[in-house]
């Protein structure tokens, strides 16, 4: 029997309460049992996430609390889904109640943020996108899927597909970057791999989030309002979701904010007209955490009862964490204010996915699951290392890197070099810092015999630079200094927007002082967002800058392999680095304006910073150099039904093997709406041996060169186009072609 039929049959046997239970998702609650110890878990978690309370202290306090896993609600059939439960035994316990102790035995959806690993953590999603390597994306999803599934998770709140153009927004770290085409590619691979069923039934249902345009929050301030044209919505923000839906994503998570005045959670136009009717989505919509009740705070529902009705009627099938559906839907039906058919429809969608994703076909026995597949296995760590190496981006290099074998005394400075939690990075709740490879550890592990690696703390990513003298003294000993600067893990991620994009605290001053020791210095950045690090770029005392992001469990080893030259860096930026936070949102594919920024006074620019970004989209250096040669367009005039075919020759002009991401952009020169100065349309990552040349061929149907016109209709307009091929969005070769 098909999943739809099985769902229908089950629905016919359910009470109203049981149906509403399927529409509800909640996490466990905690109560502290120690007398005299006031438990305020929300405050503790908030303090931990702001770096005010050490994670270990939070864990210690939580261990003293009693957790309520809501077994009674589950047994009564009043709760059908759990959120963010990730200890195997607890998942097994709640699933046991649902399957064996509730009347209908419906298994729970266990939804968790598996966005970059489960126990073995991979680079942050932003870092992962910098690999421009879909095999890396696939490996991350496959590994995360295996570990999460073996632990009992069956649903991931990922991929996160918010186009992010503003470095101030903390959640840029979770995003696939600023480009829509790249995000579409990533969306497809992640959804397919998370949902692909392995022989033993291993798979996760994926959910595309956050619907929609969360990355466009005003001023980059998290949870803020979004006022956006429909053209932008269709052209920039919707396509990655369309790609996820086409790949079969089972769920979509609506976003916290209001879009043009209406909270996404209760936005019927968005959740029903656009998502279902226009985009053909056939899964279910889950709200973001507590977003149903936040409709009241938005000022768009009088109370939680109304918020529940408006959200459900808009097309929001499942309420995450508010428990407003559980509290009010039955009352609303009884009062004649809500049709039971709306509840039926939502329950049908959810149950269909439970059948489709094999929840009813799995044996729920804890202990059996992980046979032969240990979490954090050597193999999984190896995968994280291989992927991690491909995500770091070399931003500057005067030749100091890779570290030469004559260098025998290496000094590492900066607390982040040893800070496992920071190297692991944000959005890693299911992982643990304990197994993280530090930079100090990695540099020692890969050091050649006879090379000594020393570490002094010197400074942190905060205001503590008390170790300046000690660091300078130690630098006097060293042949090379590796200074590790950037952000702690809690400085990016949810609710972690920053107005100032400089290195926080005293880091800039510290580094400036340190290079006055005249010891060759490399800066490794550990951070979640594009930072305003122009002072490092301009400082001649800093020989190299490696953007190391937060690479996860193998972070320190990945960085060490790059610094020693065991791996030739190949990552390229997927977000523009602005010179100053005040330039944000800064992104490469903006329209030209009537007065494009230049040296001339009356042009679009800020007078106190360069017009060009610090580092453009697509930028990243290698230990070798690539030269771009013959760039050919097969046919310069194509019809709207035809495909543009072009090729470019790329040669490794240096002396070591290296990978290059060849990028192809277009520009529609004259159109009825102002078009971006460049739009990424294709890319290919290739490996070239020294002296080797490869012809990279691209095919681009004219159909993909259109845009949403002023009436929001997709059109491909005939006329002149530019075609660019190059190593980043600025360094390109140029050709002209026409659509006729
Ligand atoms: C809130 C976040 O916005 C969302 O991305 C996440 O999936 C949920 N919390 C559950 O953790």
């Amino acid at each position: 029997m098909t999943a739809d039929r099985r769902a229908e049959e089950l629905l016919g046997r359910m009470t109203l309460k049981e149906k509403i239970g399927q529409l509800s998702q909640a996490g466990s609650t905690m109560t502290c049992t120690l007398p005299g110890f006031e438990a305020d878990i929300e405050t503790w978690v908030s303090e931990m996430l702001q770096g005010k309370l050490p994670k270990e202290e939070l864990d210690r306090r939580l261990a003293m609390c009693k957790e309520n896993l809501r077994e009674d609600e589950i047994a009564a059939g009043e709760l059908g889904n759990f959120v963010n439960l990730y200890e195997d035994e607890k998942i097994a316990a709640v699933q046991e109640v649902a399957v064996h102790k509730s009347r209908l035995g419906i298994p729970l959806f266990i939804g968790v943020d598996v966005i970059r690993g489960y126990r073995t953590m991979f680079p942050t999603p932003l870092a992962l996108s910098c690999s421009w390597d879909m095999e890396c994306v696939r490996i991350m999803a496959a590994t995360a899927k295996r570990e999460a599934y073996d632990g009992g998770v069956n649903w991931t709140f990922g991929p996160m597909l918010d186009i992010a153009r503003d470095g101030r927004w903390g959640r840029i770290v979770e995003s696939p970057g600023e480009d829509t085409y790249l995000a579409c590619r990533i969306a497809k691979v992640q959804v397919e791999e998370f949902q692909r069923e392995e022989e033993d039934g291993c798979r996760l249902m994926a959910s595309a989030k956050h619907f929609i345009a969360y990355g466009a929050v005003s001023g980059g301030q998290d949870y803020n309002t979004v006022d956006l044209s429909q053209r932008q919505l269709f052209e920039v923000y919707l396509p990655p979701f369309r790609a996820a839906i086409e790949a079969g994503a089972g769920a979509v998570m609506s976003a916290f904010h209001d879009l043009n005045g209406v909270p996404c959670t209760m936005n019927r136009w968005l959740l029903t007209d656009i998502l279902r009717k226009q985009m053909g989505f056939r899964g279910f919509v889950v709200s973001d955490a507590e977003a149903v009740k936040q409709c009241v705070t938005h000022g768009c529902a009088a109370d939680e009862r109304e918020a529940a009705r408006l959200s459900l009627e808009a097309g929001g099938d499942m309420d995450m964490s508010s428990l407003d559906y559980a509290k009010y839907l039955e009352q609303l039906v009884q009062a004649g204010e809500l049709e039971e058919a709306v509840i039926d429809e939502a329950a049908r969608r959810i149950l269909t996915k439970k059948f489709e994703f094999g929840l009813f076909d799995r044996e729920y026995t804890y202990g059996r699951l992980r046979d032969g597949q240990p979490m954090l296995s050597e193999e999984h760590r190896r995968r994280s290392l291989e992927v991690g190496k491909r995500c770091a981006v070399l931003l500057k290099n005067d030749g100091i890197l890779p570290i030469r074998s004559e260098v025998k005394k290496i000094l590492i400075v900066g607390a982040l070099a040893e800070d496992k939690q920071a190297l692991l990075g944000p959005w890693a709740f299911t992982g643990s810092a304990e197994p993280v490879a530090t930079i100090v550890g990695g540099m020692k592990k890969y050091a050649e015999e006879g090379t000594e690696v020393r570490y002094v703390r010197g400074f942190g990513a905060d205001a503590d630079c008390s170790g300046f003298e000690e660091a300078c003294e130690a630098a006097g000993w060293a042949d090379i200094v590796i200074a590790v600067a950037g952000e702690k893990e809690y400085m990016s991620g949810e609710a972690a927007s920053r107005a100032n994009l400089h290195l926080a605290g005293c880091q800039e001053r510290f580094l400036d002082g340190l290079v006055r020791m005249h010891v060759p210095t490399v800066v490794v950045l550990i951070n979640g967002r594009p930072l305003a690090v122009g002072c490092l770029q301009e400082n001649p005392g800093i020989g190299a800058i490696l953007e190391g992001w937060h690479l996860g469990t193998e972070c320190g080893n990945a960085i060490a392999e790059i610094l020693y030259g065991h791996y030739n860096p190949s990552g390229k930026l997927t977000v523009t680095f602005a010179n100053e936070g005040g330039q944000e949102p800064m992104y490469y594919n903006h329209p030209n304006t009537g007065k494009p920024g230049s040296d001339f006074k009356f042009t679009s620019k800020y007078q106190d910073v360069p017009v060009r970004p610090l580092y453009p989209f697509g930028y990243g250096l290698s230990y070798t150099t690539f030269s771009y040669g013959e760039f050919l367009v097969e046919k310069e005039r194509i019809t709207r039904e035809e495909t543009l075919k072009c090729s470019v020759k790329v040669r490794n002009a240096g002396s070591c093997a290296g990978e290059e991401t060849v990028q192809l952009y277009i520009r529609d020169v004259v159109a009825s709406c102002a078009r971006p100065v460049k739009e990424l349309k294709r890319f290919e990552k290739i490996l070239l041996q020294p002296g080797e040349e490869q012809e990279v061929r691209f095919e681009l149907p004219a159909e993909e060169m259109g845009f949403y016109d002023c009436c929001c209709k997709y059109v491909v307009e005939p006329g002149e186009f530019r075609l660019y091929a190059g190593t980043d969005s600025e360094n390109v070769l140029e050709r002209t072609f026409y659509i006729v």
Side-chain angles (χ1 to χ4, degrees):
M1 230 198 309
T2 61
D4 306 34
R5 295 265 311 275
R6 288 172 84 185
E8 205 55 52
E9 187 275 325
L10 179 56
L11 199 62
R13 294 191 281 128
M14 291 170 80
T15 63
L16 179 59
K17 256 200 170 53
E18 284 166 340
K19 290 177 202 165
I20 294 170
Q22 292 302 312
L23 274 50
S24 305
Q25 181 173 43
S28 61
T29 57
M30 295 279 211
T31 39
C32 197
T33 49
L34 282 190
F37 196 77
E38 184 83 12
D40 181 351
I41 291 149
E42 263 189 31
T43 308
W44 297 343
V45 172
S46 156
E47 284 176 357
M48 188 275 286
L49 292 174
Q50 293 175 72
K52 295 177 187 159
L53 184 74
K55 171 105 175 22
E56 302 73 54
E57 174 58 16
L58 175 72
D59 290 343
R60 197 185 67 81
R61 290 187 194 177
L62 291 180
M64 298 190 296
C65 297
K66 184 171 161 16
E67 191 168 11
N68 170 12
L69 290 172
R70 299 179 182 270
E71 283 103 332
D72 295 345
E73 291 152 76
I74 298 170
E78 289 167 15
L79 183 68
N81 313 281
F82 234 89
V83 55
N84 283 348
L85 193 63
Y86 34 78
E87 286 100 331
D88 306 11
E89 326 79 70
K90 291 181 188 167
I91 295 179
V94 292
Q95 209 59 284
E96 163 75 20
V97 178
V99 175
H100 300 294
K101 302 205 174 114
S102 73
R103 189 178 77 90
L104 293 168
I106 304 174
L108 302 160
F109 257 134
I110 309 283
V112 174
D113 290 291
V114 186
I115 63 164
R116 60 180 185 107
Y118 189 61
R119 301 289 187 241
T120 310
M121 299 309 294
F122 284 72
T124 61
L126 181 62
L128 186 58
S129 69
C130 291
S131 72
W132 296 65
D133 186 334
M134 294 310 117
E135 183 55 12
C136 287
V137 176
R138 197 195 62 73
I139 289 171
M140 180 288 289
T143 313
K145 169 175 74 174
R146 169 50 68 193
E147 292 188 348
Y149 178 85
D150 285 352
V153 175
N154 46 30
W155 172 14
T156 169
F157 299 134
M160 192 277 212
L161 298 174
D162 299 321
I163 298 302
R165 297 167 150 187
D166 192 329
R168 294 170 297 180
W169 190 47
R171 301 196 77 167
I172 196 169
V173 69
E174 285 171 68
S175 81
E178 75 188 35
D179 185 70
T180 302
Y181 173 71
L182 178 58
C184 289
R185 297 271 303 260
I186 292 173
K188 179 174 161 38
V189 175
Q190 283 209 30
V191 171
E192 282 177 357
E193 187 56 44
F194 276 133
Q195 297 196 163
R196 191 174 58 79
E197 189 174 353
E198 308 280 352
E199 263 173 26
D200 63 349
C202 166
R203 67 191 304 202
L204 300 178
M205 183 179 73
S207 37
K209 72 183 185 185
H210 306 83
F211 200 70
I212 184 98
Y214 189 15
V217 281
S218 187
Q221 187 179 307
D222 209 3
Y223 315 126
N224 211 355
T225 187
V226 174
D227 201 288
L228 193 76
S229 75
Q230 278 198 32
R231 289 190 53 232
Q232 289 273 305
L233 184 68
F234 276 84
E235 207 165 295
V236 178
Y237 296 95
L238 283 176
F241 286 84
R242 184 164 287 142
I245 291 166
E246 280 170 12
V252 163
M253 186 187 294
S254 52
F256 282 126
H257 61 272
D258 75 277
L259 178 72
N260 300 332
V262 184
C264 296
T265 317
M266 50 170 271
N267 194 323
R268 180 197 274 271
W269 175 77
L270 198 61
L271 303 185
T272 298
D273 296 352
I274 300 298
L275 183 63
R276 291 195 183 280
K277 295 190 185 150
Q278 272 203 28
M279 295 172 77
F281 176 60
R282 298 201 55 240
F284 68 86
V285 174
V286 61
S287 76
D288 203 336
E290 302 198 338
V292 171
K293 75 158 102 163
Q294 287 161 14
C295 293
V296 181
T297 332
H298 277 286
C300 293
D303 50 29
E304 291 182 25
R305 189 173 185 270
E306 189 178 32
R309 181 178 61 77
L310 291 172
S311 301
L312 184 70
E313 285 181 342
D317 304 298
M318 191 185 288
D319 164 7
M320 186 200 292
S321 302
S322 287
L323 286 172
D324 285 335
Y325 285 8
K327 271 184 247 156
Y328 301 111
L329 293 189
E330 192 179 12
Q331 281 180 29
L332 283 161
V333 173
Q334 281 160 358
E337 292 171 49
L338 176 71
E339 301 217 8
E340 191 170 341
V342 187
I343 295 176
D344 285 354
E345 182 55 25
R348 185 178 291 121
R349 288 174 184 152
I350 294 162
L351 289 171
T352 304
K353 292 297 160 196
K354 287 193 173 180
F355 281 110
E356 210 176 295
F357 283 88
L359 268 66
F360 289 86
D361 308 323
R362 190 175 181 190
E363 210 182 304
Y364 291 95
T365 329
Y366 174 65
R368 185 193 61 86
L369 300 172
R370 281 193 275 132
D371 289 353
Q373 286 285 354
M375 306 264 179
L376 261 168
S377 63
E378 277 304 307
E379 168 59 13
H380 288 186
R381 291 194 70 136
R382 189 194 62 75
R383 291 184 199 170
S384 173
L385 174 62
E386 287 308 312
V387 170
K389 288 190 294 196
R390 287 164 172 77
C391 299
V393 184
L394 185 63
L395 298 175
K396 172 181 179 180
N397 190 12
D398 65 4
I400 185 175
L401 288 180
I403 297 171
R404 288 185 307 275
S405 48
E406 304 89 86
V407 171
K408 294 292 176 210
K409 292 183 230 157
I410 300 175
L411 176 71
I412 303 175
V413 184
L416 291 177
E418 277 239 295
D419 185 334
K420 293 183 168 194
Q421 201 68 49
L423 298 169
L424 181 65
W427 281 104
F429 305 119
T430 57
S432 139
E434 201 276 320
V436 170
T438 66
I439 296 179
V440 176
M443 290 302 288
K444 287 187 174 163
K445 175 174 166 184
Y446 292 97
E448 274 180 17
E449 229 185 278
T451 301
E452 191 180 342
V453 178
R454 286 189 193 168
Y455 165 72
V456 294
R457 182 188 182 282
F459 68 110
D462 48 25
D464 179 11
C465 285
S466 53
F468 183 68
E469 258 136 53
E470 187 195 6
C472 288
E473 202 175 303
W477 160 85
D479 295 334
I480 195 170
V481 173
I482 311 291
V484 185
E487 296 181 316
K488 284 280 294 165
E489 72 289 351
Y490 54 77
M491 291 167 77
S492 63
E494 186 175 344
S497 293
R498 289 180 61 193
N500 181 342
L501 296 186
H502 281 261
L503 289 170
C506 53
Q507 298 185 83
E508 285 182 4
R509 251 184 312 122
F510 190 101
L511 291 170
D512 194 46
L514 188 65
V515 298
R516 288 170 205 270
M517 296 299 296
H518 299 292
V519 182
T521 299
V522 174
V523 174
V524 173
L525 292 172
I526 297 297
N527 53 303
R529 53 157 59 75
L531 291 173
V533 286
C535 60
L536 307 184
Q537 176 64 29
E538 281 150 29
N539 192 328
I542 293 172
I545 306 172
L546 179 69
E547 176 53 86
W549 305 116
H550 304 277
L551 297 181
T553 308
E554 287 290 326
C555 190
N557 288 334
I559 285 171
E561 282 212 44
I562 292 173
L563 296 181
Y564 285 123
H566 300 173
Y567 180 76
N568 183 358
S570 66
K572 301 232 184 194
L573 298 177
T574 57
V575 282
T576 302
F577 275 47
N579 300 283
E580 289 292 340
Q583 279 180 302
E584 297 282 11
M586 195 176 200
Y587 50 96
Y588 84 96
N589 52 354
H590 55 83
N592 206 27
T593 79
K595 288 169 173 278
S598 74
D599 289 342
F600 186 57
K601 162 94 180 150
F602 297 99
T603 60
S604 177
K605 64 178 177 189
Y606 295 95
Q607 55 180 305
D608 49 355
V609 282
V611 172
R612 309 285 356 131
L614 177 59
Y615 304 116
F617 175 83
Y619 172 82
L621 302 172
S622 162
Y623 292 152
T624 186
T625 49
F626 299 99
S627 64
Y628 281 66
E630 205 174 44
F631 179 27
L632 297 175
V633 177
E634 197 181 284
K635 202 171 150 194
E636 278 174 11
R637 306 179 90 81
I638 56 165
T639 66
R640 277 181 262 201
E641 289 72 42
E642 283 183 306
T643 291
L644 183 87
K645 294 182 181 158
C646 64
S647 64
V648 62
K649 285 190 177 151
V650 184
R651 199 169 71 84
N652 181 344
S655 53
C656 62
E659 287 155 282
E660 165 73 336
T661 298
V662 183
Q663 301 161 38
L664 188 80
Y665 298 86
I666 64 158
R667 176 173 181 177
D668 186 344
V669 181
V670 183
S672 57
C673 293
R675 300 302 304 144
V677 293
K678 278 191 192 95
E679 292 173 81
L680 181 73
K681 287 294 176 188
R682 291 287 184 271
F683 60 85
E684 195 174 326
K685 193 164 183 171
I686 54 170
L687 169 68
L688 292 177
Q689 299 304 321
E692 187 184 347
E693 183 176 75
Q694 189 177 323
E695 184 185 63
V696 180
R697 302 183 62 80
F698 294 109
E699 297 199 356
L700 180 59
E703 178 58 29
E704 287 184 46
M705 297 190 233
F707 60 92
Y708 287 88
D709 70 7
C710 305
C711 309
C712 229
K713 199 170 131 253
Y714 187 79
V715 288
V716 180
E717 290 184 352
E720 183 180 344
F721 283 75
R722 295 272 180 275
L723 186 70
Y724 308 96
T727 187
D728 62 50
S729 60
E730 295 204 335
N731 255 303
V732 287
L733 299 173
E734 184 180 321
R735 290 288 174 271
T736 298
F737 70 95
Y738 300 85
I739 295 186
V740 292

